[in-house]
C-alpha cells in the first residue's frame, strides 16, 4: 500500500461524564515511517492541532486533490506545521485504518493496474489528540480553513 499523505494524529472519543454523550472511539497508538525513513508515533503530535487524512499520493482519484486542498487550507490558517506523509507495513496500515475507522480496498484492474477504493474523510484533532470534527470532500480550502478556525476558537474559550 502507499503512503498516508497528511498530518497524523491519534485520538479518543469525547471524555465521558454524567451528562455527556460519547461518540465512537476513533484512533489509537501507531508506529509508522515518515518520508525520511524515521519512526513516527502518535506521541510525536501531542500538543498540536492536527488535520488527519488517509489517502494515496499517486492516485488518479480524490487523494492527491484532497491533499492539495488541505495544504491550501493550512496555508490560509498559517499553521506553523507541515504535511507529513507516513507509511508502513500493510499490517500496520490496516490496523491504523481500523482504529481510525477508515475504509480502503485494493481493486484489481486489467494488467498490473489497480485502484484503491477508500473513505475520504479528514479528522481535526485537538492538542490532546481527541477527534473534534470530521470533514468530508465537500469543502473547499477556504471553507475548511474557516471551519477549522471556528473549532480552534471554540476550544480556546
Amino acid at each position: 500500500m502507499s503512503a498516508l499523505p497528511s498530518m497524523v494524529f491519534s485520538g479518543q472519543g469525547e471524555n465521558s461524564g454524567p451528562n455527556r454523550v460519547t461518540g465512537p472511539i476513533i484512533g489509537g497508538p501507531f508506529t509508522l515511517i515518515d518520508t525520511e525513513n524515521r519512526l513516527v508515533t502518535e506521541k510525536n503530535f501531542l500538543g498540536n492541532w492536527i488535520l488527519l487524512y488517509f489517502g494515496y499520493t499517486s492516485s488518479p482519484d480524490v487523494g492527491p486533490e484532497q491533499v492539495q486542498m488541505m495544504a491550501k487550507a493550512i496555508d490560509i490558517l498559517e499553521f506553523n506545521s507541515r504535511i507529513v506523509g507516513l507509511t508502513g507495513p500493510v499490517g500496520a496500515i490496516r490496523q491504523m485504518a481500523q482504529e481510525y475507522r477508515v475504509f480502503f480496498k485494493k481493486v484489481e484492474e486489467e494488467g498490473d493496474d489497480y485502484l484503491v477504493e477508500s473513505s475520504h474523510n479528514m479528522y481535526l484533532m485537538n492538542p490532546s489528540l481527541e477527534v473534534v470534527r470530521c470533514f468530508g470532500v465537500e469543502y473547499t480550502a477556504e471553507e475548511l480553513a474557516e471551519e477549522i478556525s471556528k473549532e480552534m476558537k471554540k476550544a480556546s474559550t
Side-chain angles (χ1 to χ4, degrees):
M1 294 293 144
S2 296
L4 301 172
S6 181
M7 297 177 164
V8 179
F9 76 103
S10 171
Q12 304 293 318
E14 294 182 32
N15 292 332
S16 58
N19 295 321
R20 195 159 206 163
V21 176
T22 60
I25 294 175
I26 297 174
F30 64 85
T31 302
L32 293 174
I33 301 164
D34 71 9
T35 57
E36 303 295 320
N37 210 28
R38 295 177 295 216
L39 286 179
V40 176
T41 73
E42 73 287 351
K43 293 175 185 156
N44 291 90
F45 302 101
L46 273 170
N48 297 298
W49 282 91
I50 305 298
L51 186 61
L52 173 72
Y53 175 76
F54 288 82
Y56 297 84
T57 56
S58 59
S59 167
D61 199 11
V62 178
E65 183 180 311
Q66 284 299 104
V67 173
Q68 289 174 2
M69 188 268 296
M70 286 176 57
K72 186 173 179 184
I74 290 166
D75 286 344
I76 291 168
L77 290 167
E78 300 178 327
F79 272 0
N80 189 20
S81 33
R82 65 191 197 293
I83 292 179
V84 177
L86 298 177
T87 191
V90 173
I93 293 172
R94 284 193 191 286
Q95 179 181 347
M96 187 174 180
Q98 184 176 16
E99 289 174 353
Y100 288 80
R101 301 183 184 270
V102 175
F103 164 80
F104 73 94
K105 176 183 173 185
K106 184 177 179 179
V107 179
E108 300 293 336
E109 294 281 307
E110 289 185 31
D112 292 335
D113 289 341
Y114 68 92
L115 296 174
V116 177
E117 293 178 359
S118 65
S119 50
H120 295 285
N121 293 333
M122 292 173 270
Y123 295 120
L124 179 63
M125 308 296 292
N126 68 20
S128 298
L129 302 180
E130 299 166 324
V131 174
V132 175
R133 179 100 183 259
C134 180
F135 299 101
V137 297
E138 68 275 9
Y139 291 87
T140 65
E142 292 78 12
E143 293 167 337
L144 181 62
E146 183 178 331
E147 293 301 314
I148 290 170
S149 181
K150 286 179 188 176
E151 292 296 332
M152 293 173 74
K153 285 176 184 169
K154 274 199 302 192
S156 67
T157 56

